[in-house]
Structure formats: structure tokens, C-alpha cells
Amino acid sequence: MLYTPLSTTDIFPSSEQDFQKRQCISHNGKQLYVEEMEDGQFQVLQLLSTDPEDFMNSDYLPGTILR
């Protein structure tokens, strides 16, 4: 039994190749868990922060594309 805030697909990815596309990066001083897309851009999966104010910033919403 796992007690975690992560989704099932984060823990048990569908393939090893999908898992390798995901990484933690620093963007504008914020830690983000992202997935690299085919065109080299990154899609935000999760904001890793303890500051509640960071979650009000629409630049870090899940699904946002970082250029």
C-alpha cells in the first residue's frame, strides 16, 4: 500500500521511455516536475514548492508549456 501525493502513472509509468522524459528542473527560481515533449519544450506536471503564493501563479499550472 502506498500513501503518496503522486499519481499512479508517476509511480508506475507505462514504459521506461515515458519515465525518462520526466525530470525536475529549476525555472525562474521555482522547482518544477516536467515532461519533455517531442519538440523540445517542457510541459509542467507539478510545482514543487512550500510557498502557497507560488500556486497562485498561472505560469506554473499543470499542463502549461515552458518555452
Side-chain angles (χ1 to χ4, degrees), residues 7-61:
S7 69
T8 305
T9 56
D10 289 335
I11 299 169
F12 305 109
S14 56
S15 70
E16 184 67 28
Q17 187 179 23
D18 290 340
F19 185 70
Q20 290 176 350
K21 294 179 183 178
R22 296 181 178 192
Q23 58 185 311
C24 288
I25 64 167
S26 179
H27 180 73
N28 294 334
K30 309 296 181 203
Q31 291 293 320
L32 301 169
Y33 188 54
V34 298
E35 183 172 359
E36 187 173 2
M37 301 168 62
E38 286 86 24
D39 58 1
Q41 297 180 359
F42 292 98
Q43 181 180 17
V44 176
L45 299 175
Q46 185 177 15
L47 170 64
L48 305 172
S49 177
T50 57
D51 185 0
E53 192 71 27
D54 290 343
F55 293 92
M56 301 302 290
N57 189 338
S58 63
D59 294 340
Y60 306 123
L61 289 175

